[in-house]
Amino acid sequence: MLLFAAWVAVLVGAAVGLVLVPSMEILGIEAVVLSFALLYGFGMWPVARTVVSILAFAAFAALVMVPRAQAGALPDSELVEVVVPLGLAMIVIYHVRRREEALHRVHELAAADRRRAGARERLSRMTSHELRTPLTIASGYVDHLLEGERDEERREDLLTVRDELEQLGRVCDRLVRAVALDLGAPDALTDVPPLLDEIRRRWAVVADRDVVVDCGVATVPVNAARLRAALDTLVENSVRYTCPGERIRLFATEVDGRVEVGVADAGPGLSPTLTYLVNTGVDRAPDPADAGDPGTQPPGASPEGLQDLYSQTGFGLRIVAAIAQSAGGRLVAGPAPEGGARLALSVPSPAARTRADYRTTRVTDTVRTSPPPAAVRTSL
C-alpha cells in the first residue's frame, strides 16, 4: 500500500504540474512513467488499481493538453504522450509479473527438492533399521543353527539361506550408500594421497588381502564423500574376486590429460563383454536392431548373451558410474598389471581448471562410509 500511495502522490504531483507549468507537461508525464517503473519493480499492487489510476491521469492530461493543442500552443504530436504512460505501464506489469512467476516457480522447485531430500533421508534411515536389523538377526539365527547341525544336507540348506541373507544385506548396503550419496554436491578438489591411504587402512582390517596404494597425483576434482563411496564399492568387488593374500591396488594416475582413480586386483579379470559394457556405458542396453552390426557388439558376444550380462551388472557399478558422471567423467575398465581387473573413474585433470573453481575438501570433513565385512560381497 505504501508503494501505491507513493505512486498516486507522483500522479497528483504530475497533474498539478500540468496545470501550473503548462510548458513542462512532458517532464510531468516522464516522471509518471519513470516512477511507475521504479516503484512497481519493488512491489506489485493490483493491476486494476494501476489501470484506473493511469486512465484517470491520462484523462486529466487530455483535458489540459487537448485545448492547448487546439489553440496552437502545443504541437498535435505531443498529444501522443497522453497514452504513453498507459502503454508503458502495461509492458512493465507484464514483465514484472513474469519475473515474479519465475521466482515463484524457483521457490516451488526448491521446496520440492527439500522434500525429496527429506524423503531420501527417511528412506536411508528406514533401510538402515527396518531392513538391516532383521537381516542381521536372521543371519545370527542361521549361524546358530549351523553350529549345532550335523546333517550335511541340512547344512547345505542353511548355508544357502545364509548366502541369500548376505546377498540381501549387500543390496541393502548398496541402497543405503546410493540414497545417502549427494550427487548434486558442488565440485571439489580432493587431496588424493590421504584418502587412498585411509581406504587402504580400513580395508586392510576387514579383508585378508595385500592392499597397497599407488598414488601419482595430488588432487582430483571429485567430491571426497562421493569418491570414497566409489572406491569402497570397487574395493568391495575386488575382495570378492580375489583370494586371501592376493593384491588389491588403489591407484591414482594421470592418463592423456585426465586423472584416473580406481582399483586394480589380481583376480580373474573382466570378460571382454563386461569390459565393453563398462566402457560404453552400463546404463545403455544394446539395441536389438543393431544385432547384425558387428561394430555395435563386443568380440565373441551374442546379442542374447550381451543383454543377459547387462541385466546382471548390478547396482554397485551404477553407483560408481554415476559418481564419475557427476564429476564430468566416466567409468573405464580394462586388464590390470596384477593380472585381474582394473576399474577407474576417469575425470578431467584439475590442471584444466584453476584451483579457484573448486572448494578444496579435506578427507576428514566428510562422513565416512564404512565397508561391509570381507564376507559380504556382491557382483558389479
Side-chain angles (χ1 to χ4, degrees):
M1 288 299 295
L2 290 177
L3 290 175
F4 180 70
W7 157 244
V8 172
V10 172
L11 288 180
V12 172
V16 172
L18 290 176
V19 176
L20 299 181
V21 190
S23 61
M24 304 294 289
E25 66 274 347
I26 301 303
L27 290 181
I29 293 174
E30 295 296 335
V32 168
V33 172
L34 293 176
S35 63
F36 176 77
L38 177 65
L39 295 174
Y40 198 78
F42 282 109
M44 297 184 300
W45 53 79
V47 177
R49 294 183 184 178
T50 305
V51 174
V52 170
S53 58
I54 291 180
L55 286 176
F57 176 79
F60 182 82
L63 289 175
V64 174
M65 297 174 64
V66 168
R68 296 190 68 242
Q70 291 175 344
L74 183 69
D76 292 342
S77 59
E78 295 294 336
L79 295 178
V80 177
E81 297 291 337
V82 174
V83 296
V84 165
L86 182 61
L88 292 179
M90 294 300 103
I91 295 174
V92 170
I93 290 172
Y94 172 73
H95 286 292
V96 170
R97 288 191 172 275
R98 280 189 59 194
R99 182 199 66 185
E100 291 299 318
E101 289 174 0
L103 290 175
H104 181 67
R105 180 59 178 163
V106 168
H107 291 317
E108 286 183 341
L109 292 175
D113 187 64
R114 287 193 295 270
R115 289 194 296 270
R116 285 193 295 269
R120 287 195 298 267
E121 183 180 355
R122 289 191 296 273
L123 177 59
S124 179
R125 289 197 302 265
M126 182 193 72
T127 306
S128 301
H129 178 72
E130 301 293 338
L131 293 181
R132 286 197 288 193
T133 299
L135 286 173
T136 302
I137 294 173
S139 298
Y141 272 101
V142 172
D143 290 338
H144 176 71
L145 293 173
L146 277 170
E147 290 177 1
E149 185 58 59
R150 296 293 179 264
D151 185 276
E152 287 301 320
E153 290 188 3
R154 288 180 60 83
R155 284 186 62 84
E156 289 182 5
D157 292 340
L158 288 172
L159 286 172
T160 301
V161 173
R162 187 177 67 176
D163 288 343
E164 293 302 318
L165 289 174
E166 288 178 349
Q167 175 70 11
L168 287 174
R170 292 192 291 269
V171 172
C172 177
D173 287 335
R174 291 279 176 84
L175 179 61
V176 171
R177 189 182 300 172
V179 170
L181 198 59
D182 181 12
L183 295 179
D187 290 340
L189 276 178
T190 297
D191 294 326
V192 181
L195 177 63
L196 295 186
D197 189 61
E198 177 210 343
I199 295 174
R200 179 197 65 79
R201 286 187 284 105
R202 287 193 290 110
W203 279 98
V205 173
V206 299
D208 185 15
R209 304 292 189 274
D210 180 22
V211 185
V212 299
V213 171
D214 177 19
C215 186
V217 298
T219 58
V220 61
V222 185
N223 181 275
R226 290 181 290 180
L227 182 58
R228 181 185 289 105
L231 293 175
D232 277 338
T233 300
L234 295 178
V235 173
E236 185 185 354
N237 184 71
S238 292
V239 169
R240 178 184 181 187
Y241 288 104
T242 54
C243 298
E246 289 188 331
R247 172 158 293 187
I248 295 175
R249 178 169 55 91
L250 293 158
F251 65 87
T253 184
E254 189 162 352
V255 179
D256 298 330
R258 298 176 68 86
V259 174
E260 293 188 359
V261 184
V263 176
D265 60 51
L270 301 175
S271 68
T273 306
L274 183 54
T275 302
Y276 171 85
L277 285 174
V278 171
N279 289 328
T280 56
V282 73
D283 285 330
R284 180 180 60 82
D287 189 343
D290 296 333
D293 183 1
T296 63
Q297 307 295 330
S302 66
E304 294 80 8
L306 185 61
Q307 184 64 40
D308 289 344
L309 184 56
Y310 170 83
S311 64
Q312 297 172 11
T313 50
F315 193 32
L317 192 59
R318 284 173 170 80
I319 295 176
V320 180
I323 293 170
Q325 291 166 7
S326 73
R330 59 190 181 91
L331 181 62
V332 295
E338 291 81 359
R342 181 185 185 274
L343 287 160
L345 291 82
S346 176
V347 297
S349 171
R353 297 168 62 179
T354 63
R355 194 177 182 89
D357 293 334
Y358 298 98
R359 176 178 54 83
T360 302
T361 336
R362 295 176 56 195
V363 174
T364 53
D365 291 337
T366 56
V367 179
R368 296 187 176 186
T369 304
S370 299
V376 180
R377 283 290 308 136
T378 185
S379 65
L380 287 175

